Amino acid sequence: MKKIFLLGITIIFIFNSVLLVASNIESTGNITSEQKQWLKEHPGELPHWMTPEEELRRDEIGKDFTPTDPPPAPVRQPAEFEPMQGVLIRYPFGISYDIIAEMSEDTEVVTVVSSTSQQNYVLSQYNSHGVNTANCSFLIAQTDTYWIRDYGPWFIFNGNDEQAITDFPYNRPRPYDDNIPVVFGNVNNIPVYGMDITHTGGNYMTDGQGIAISTTLVWEENPGLTHQEIDQLVYDFLGIHTYHVVPDVNATYIKHIDCWAKYLSVDKIMIREVPPTHPQYDEIEAAVDYFSNQISSY
């Protein structure tokens, strides 16, 4: 049996406006200086965290979601480190043209735009910034934000060896964002299955072999479900037989697992590293101890 290998790093750069395609500060009405700075630098954009106005509309989360029967078993969900068909991004962007140009050299870049005129504008910008447009395509759809890693489609292979999408109620009252998996599936003729768990892509990662990890945010946002019922749903819709739900070590951010940990391979997890004087040092080291004692799928 092979245990998990832990790799510590000082800083993790997370690009939540990019979703690999296989296929929060939870606001209490107060706002931090970092949040104020972000809002100043991104006028007109909704932030990663839920705004005070959105907090009052929590009852709208999942309002238009359609649950379905599970896909045919057995289900397998690819890991992010596996070979990917492309990346899915949204305009206006939360990443630089340099990053988009780099991605376009190696894979297909699918850009979500709101209209044909916006598509033409983005294409002209791609040409001006050295993006390989031969590897670019577009999806015309309305969106609320560019945090597409959090609301975009989760790809699976069902028991008939068909590519499919598992959809879920996005944990923000942002209906256009929440509908993107369905739009993507319809446009690309990919079956979409509705898993009735309020969730977000940033708080989920899998090893591609039936093990997945989230923070306890998934329990907090689904008070109507028992832990066992959540485990059963992720097994039925994602093929996850071992679901590690762990405390969030950052404590003061958005409680997403990708803010401090990431699968690099089936038996390797990268975890945020901080000096002993850091206020989250003990919590992070406890997570390191926990995962280093787990048995990998290998």
Side-chain angles (χ1 to χ4, degrees), residues 39-51:
L39 292 170
K40 182 179 179 181
E41 294 173 355
H42 301 82
E45 286 288 345
L46 283 170
H48 200 184
W49 64 91
M50 202 178 305
T51 66

Side-chain angles (χ1 to χ4, degrees), residues 5 50 77 85 99 123 132 158 191 219 227 261 269 280 283:
F5 175 76
M50 202 178 305
Q77 184 181 33
Q85 184 177 341
I99 292 173
L123 196 56
N132 180 12
N158 64 29
W219 289 345
H227 300 173
I269 297 176
Q280 275 81 53
E283 289 82 359

